[in-house]
Amino acid sequence: MEAIATLVMMLLILSFITYLASALSVNHYDHTCPQVESIVAGAVHKATLNDKTVPAAMLRMHFHDCFIRGCDASVLLESKGKNKAEKDGPPNISLHAFYVIDNAKKAVEAVCPGVVSCADILALAARDAVTLSGGPTWDVPKGRKDGRISKATETRQLPAPTFNISQLQQSFSQRGLSLDDLVALSGGHTLGFAHCSSFQNRVHNFSPKQNIDPSLNPLFANKLQKICPSNNKAKNAGSPLDTSSTRFDNAYYKLLLQGNSIFSSDQALLTHPNTKALVSKFAHSQEEFERAFVKSMIKMSSIVNGGGKEIRLDCKHVR
């Protein structure tokens, strides 16, 4: 009976998410702020000219926002008093380039005051980040509201780089996302950088009998060990997520099949027949990957959960 009750509750939650997502529209600002898309794209482009890591930062920030309370910009809020906000939670310490969203918001407010949510700006910035990196573009559904609650303790809900396939599947399904979405969105790892702490488990003391994860290509494992020795104390030491970490392509999947993936959660995609087949499919077709990624990004970015209550004037603070 308990299992049935849990299933019913999950179905109700997913139905509610679907209902709320249907309220979003690609035309939401056509009359109230038609310039919003070009303003946000300009802010992301300007920042990227000065810092090539900005696109990866925008994509990761959006993902981390949507996976906690839905896409409500709660990840942008500052800690206040005794409340430690999401951005100060352990998994989010390495998030950066918040200034890009602040700059975009300031520019939007100058033209359309009090109209565009920070959550929508972040969703647009993530799309623009992919496009600027040579990836696809898509129409972003808009109309999100900004949340007023942000708790660092809730960042424990984010899927960890050490997750196995069962843990990943559970994390994604709780948000209405499928195994197909899991594999497609994991392709976002084609952009960015991983700190040693995220993959240390694979190259040092992997198990009582093996120091290195046997699923790793030995040459690649040796390279990672040199970058991140067991006594590593360098704060910013780490590795690019793939061989073209500033270009949005399908290299991530090709490297995964070669045993050259960074995270345990990447390798986990090869431990289930359905996800392994998709990895192979995307490794052999950039077009198939891009099509699936766009579909899954729209689905993920439409998780709103009803938590958004306002249009913030400053993305760092509630009104």
Side-chain angles (χ1 to χ4, degrees):
M1 290 296 292
E2 184 178 339
I4 294 174
T6 301
L7 178 60
V8 170
M9 182 60 70
M10 284 292 294
L11 290 174
L12 287 172
I13 291 171
L14 292 178
S15 297
F16 186 52
I17 290 173
T18 302
Y19 166 75
L20 291 166
S22 67
L24 301 179
S25 167
V26 297
N27 304 313
H28 187 77
Y29 297 115
D30 280 5
H31 301 294
T32 56
C33 193
Q35 311 96 318
V36 62
E37 299 226 11
S38 61
I39 293 172
V40 175
V44 178
H45 181 254
K46 181 179 179 180
T48 302
L49 290 175
N50 297 318
D51 181 357
K52 298 300 182 185
T53 70
V54 162
M58 296 295 98
L59 188 57
R60 185 166 178 249
M61 194 183 296
H62 183 45
F63 182 94
H64 282 220
D65 181 43
C66 294
F67 260 62
I68 301 299
R69 290 179 163 268
C71 310
D72 67 347
S74 54
V75 74
L76 304 177
L77 290 171
E78 297 280 359
S79 296
K80 184 177 180 181
K82 293 183 179 180
N83 180 62
K84 197 174 181 183
E86 286 174 34
K87 65 164 58 175
D88 292 321
N92 287 342
I93 294 297
S94 58
L95 291 181
H96 69 286
F98 290 98
Y99 71 90
V100 179
I101 303 301
D102 292 334
N103 290 347
K105 176 64 172 176
K106 185 177 180 180
V108 170
E109 284 297 309
V111 177
C112 317
V115 172
V116 181
S117 68
C118 297
D120 278 346
I121 289 175
L122 180 52
L124 289 168
R127 186 274 311 274
D128 295 334
V130 170
T131 306
L132 279 170
S133 301
T137 189
W138 61 92
D139 291 327
V140 175
K142 298 170 284 292
R144 300 164 189 79
K145 292 292 182 67
D146 297 323
R148 297 177 59 84
I149 300 172
S150 184
K151 298 180 180 180
T153 54
E154 294 183 350
T155 59
R156 289 177 294 192
Q157 300 171 23
L158 288 167
T162 55
F163 270 15
N164 60 36
I165 192 64
S166 296
Q167 292 169 312
L168 289 169
Q169 184 173 13
Q170 181 179 27
S171 178
F172 275 65
S173 66
Q174 286 173 347
R175 292 156 178 89
L177 299 172
S178 66
L179 281 176
D180 287 21
D181 297 318
L182 165 62
V183 180
L185 292 172
S186 293
H189 288 168
T190 186
L191 299 176
F193 180 88
H195 290 92
C196 292
S197 58
S198 298
F199 58 87
Q200 197 88 353
N201 65 303
R202 301 190 74 192
V203 293
H204 298 292
N205 301 314
F206 176 73
S207 72
K209 294 183 178 180
Q210 294 173 303
N211 190 40
I212 297 173
D213 183 345
S215 65
L216 274 172
N217 180 314
L219 292 176
F220 185 60
N222 184 254
K223 177 184 176 182
L224 294 180
Q225 280 188 321
K226 289 179 179 178
I227 293 171
C228 304
S230 57
N231 61 349
N232 172 62
K233 294 182 180 179
K235 185 178 179 180
N236 294 317
S239 170
L241 287 173
D242 79 9
T243 51
S244 54
S245 60
T246 60
R247 189 169 70 249
F248 192 92
D249 56 24
N250 63 341
Y252 161 81
Y253 299 103
K254 295 177 180 179
L255 293 169
L256 178 52
L257 291 175
Q258 296 166 9
N260 294 335
S261 61
I262 295 290
F263 303 136
S264 295
S265 58
D266 295 325
Q267 179 62 32
L269 300 182
L270 299 182
T271 64
H272 187 288
N274 292 355
T275 54
K276 184 176 181 178
L278 281 173
V279 168
S280 180
K281 180 180 180 180
F282 296 157
H284 289 90
S285 174
Q286 172 86 14
E287 185 178 342
E288 290 286 355
F289 163 48
E290 290 187 355
R291 186 181 297 116
F293 183 82
V294 167
K295 181 180 178 181
S296 295
M297 275 296 289
I298 292 173
K299 189 174 176 181
M300 184 199 76
S301 70
S302 298
I303 301 173
V304 288
N305 292 1
K309 302 295 183 184
E310 64 183 17
I311 303 295
R312 278 183 229 144
L313 301 182
D314 179 342
C315 293
K316 299 188 293 295
H317 307 287
V318 297
R319 295 185 70 169

